[in-house]
Amino acid sequence: MPNRNPVSRRKALKEVALGLGTAANFPILKGQASAEGHHHPAAVPPVSDPHAAKTPVFFNPPQYATVTELASWIIPTDETPGAREAKVNEYIDMIVSQAPSSLKKLYRDGLEWLDTTSHSRHGKIFVELSKEQQ
């Protein structure tokens, strides 16, 4: 039977993000505990400028630029904010930095393959290609 109400990728991602955002607000998940008025706030570093570009933790600058570009292909900016505005690249960098070494190697190898393939086909690394070439 055909699906009469297909869910778009954007809607599915929004709903997943909403669910994660909601879950992240539960005190137990935020590392906060309270008992009889005793409160232990989670350690959160101060943010000097929320709009400043974050220095990558795991990726080198060219890899970070590629991750940023790839995320914007998956969740483009259109009438709603996309991956760039949501800073998905920062999230990916943080998650991969805490991942097992096998996953880190997979990301590095994949990004290297993408740049090598882009260079062999078009003479430039992925982020330097036109949208059509990418």
XYZ file of all heavy atoms in Angstrom, residues 19 27-28 32 61 64-65 68 72 74 83 85-86 92 94 97 99-100 107 110 119 125 130 132:
175
model
N 12.966 16.471 19.755
C 12.978 15.445 20.797
C 14.249 15.476 21.614
O 14.221 15.383 22.839
N 16.520 17.857 33.981
C 17.645 18.136 34.887
C 18.621 16.969 35.029
O 19.823 17.174 35.059
C 16.967 18.446 36.219
C 15.612 18.941 35.837
C 15.239 18.176 34.592
N 18.132 15.748 35.073
C 19.029 14.612 35.265
C 19.983 14.456 34.086
O 21.136 14.069 34.241
C 18.229 13.306 35.514
C 19.159 12.203 36.023
C 17.527 12.845 34.273
C 19.559 12.362 37.447
N 22.407 18.096 36.441
C 21.980 18.885 37.581
C 21.228 17.986 38.543
O 20.489 17.101 38.149
C 21.071 20.029 37.150
C 21.752 21.015 36.241
C 20.803 22.104 35.777
O 19.600 21.995 35.930
N 21.355 23.153 35.219
N 41.408 22.477 9.923
C 40.566 23.476 9.244
C 40.015 23.057 7.885
O 38.827 23.263 7.619
C 41.473 24.707 9.155
C 42.334 24.583 10.385
C 42.627 23.088 10.494
N 37.270 20.516 8.534
C 36.137 21.194 9.180
C 35.301 21.940 8.144
O 34.069 21.917 8.191
C 36.687 22.144 10.239
C 35.685 22.675 11.229
C 34.964 21.824 12.054
C 35.488 24.047 11.367
C 34.072 22.316 12.993
C 34.602 24.545 12.306
C 33.897 23.683 13.113
O 33.022 24.179 14.037
N 35.974 22.574 7.183
C 35.261 23.278 6.111
C 34.465 22.291 5.266
O 33.321 22.566 4.859
C 36.248 24.051 5.248
N 31.410 21.137 7.196
C 30.433 22.224 7.167
C 29.674 22.234 5.848
O 28.445 22.343 5.811
C 31.128 23.583 7.397
O 31.827 23.537 8.646
C 30.140 24.726 7.406
N 25.655 21.256 5.047
C 24.743 22.207 4.392
C 24.092 21.606 3.148
O 23.031 22.056 2.730
C 25.466 23.513 4.051
O 26.372 23.323 3.004
N 23.117 18.419 3.146
C 22.102 17.540 3.729
C 20.922 18.344 4.275
O 19.768 17.982 4.066
C 22.728 16.655 4.829
C 23.771 15.727 4.201
C 21.654 15.850 5.560
C 24.667 15.030 5.206
N 21.776 23.707 8.198
C 22.854 23.160 9.024
C 23.856 24.224 9.459
O 24.353 24.186 10.579
C 23.571 22.049 8.274
N 23.340 27.423 10.061
C 22.757 28.237 11.133
C 22.638 27.434 12.431
O 22.768 27.984 13.526
C 21.377 28.765 10.716
C 21.416 29.772 9.578
C 21.558 29.151 8.195
O 21.460 27.915 8.043
O 21.780 29.926 7.249
N 22.408 26.138 12.301
C 22.294 25.276 13.477
C 23.663 24.844 14.007
O 23.739 24.176 15.032
C 21.458 24.045 13.139
N 29.058 17.872 15.026
C 29.756 16.714 14.450
C 31.193 16.663 14.961
O 31.688 15.610 15.363
C 29.712 16.755 12.907
C 28.275 16.562 12.411
C 30.646 15.691 12.310
C 28.093 16.822 10.926
N 32.397 17.839 17.757
C 32.396 17.465 19.163
C 32.137 15.966 19.327
O 32.837 15.281 20.067
C 31.338 18.276 19.921
C 31.314 18.050 21.418
S 30.057 16.889 22.030
C 28.552 17.495 21.356
N 35.096 13.915 18.069
C 36.254 14.050 18.965
C 36.151 13.109 20.161
O 37.167 12.725 20.732
C 36.403 15.496 19.449
O 35.423 15.812 20.428
N 34.544 10.109 19.968
C 34.246 8.775 19.431
C 35.466 7.856 19.545
O 36.593 8.324 19.723
C 33.819 8.896 17.974
N 35.232 6.555 19.403
C 36.360 5.613 19.375
C 37.287 5.908 18.198
O 36.872 6.474 17.188
C 35.688 4.246 19.188
C 34.256 4.443 19.536
C 33.938 5.882 19.292
N 36.120 8.801 9.625
C 35.842 10.180 9.198
C 37.031 10.770 8.455
O 36.869 11.369 7.389
C 35.488 11.055 10.407
C 34.012 11.089 10.694
C 33.391 10.071 11.401
C 33.230 12.136 10.243
C 32.036 10.099 11.660
C 31.867 12.181 10.496
C 31.278 11.155 11.202
O 29.934 11.190 11.443
N 37.415 9.103 5.068
C 36.341 9.511 4.160
C 36.544 10.913 3.615
O 36.350 11.162 2.421
N 39.845 16.266 -6.335
C 41.042 16.796 -6.990
C 41.353 16.044 -8.279
O 41.715 16.657 -9.295
C 42.248 16.750 -6.049
C 43.376 17.603 -6.511
N 44.351 17.147 -7.371
C 43.658 18.904 -6.253
C 45.195 18.118 -7.614
N 44.806 19.200 -6.956
N 40.134 20.655 -4.304
C 39.516 19.913 -3.205
C 38.025 20.246 -3.153
O 37.563 21.215 -3.767
C 40.197 20.206 -1.843
C 40.069 21.680 -1.460
C 41.647 19.745 -1.867
C 40.553 21.995 -0.048
N 32.718 24.189 -7.515
C 31.420 24.863 -7.679
C 30.328 23.926 -7.158
O 30.562 22.719 -6.998
C 31.161 25.180 -9.143
O 30.975 23.970 -9.880
N 27.820 22.778 -8.730
C 27.564 21.765 -9.741
C 28.597 20.651 -9.691
O 28.279 19.484 -9.845
C 27.522 22.386 -11.146
C 26.374 23.348 -11.378
C 26.591 24.712 -10.712
O 27.741 25.142 -10.493
O 25.565 25.342 -10.380
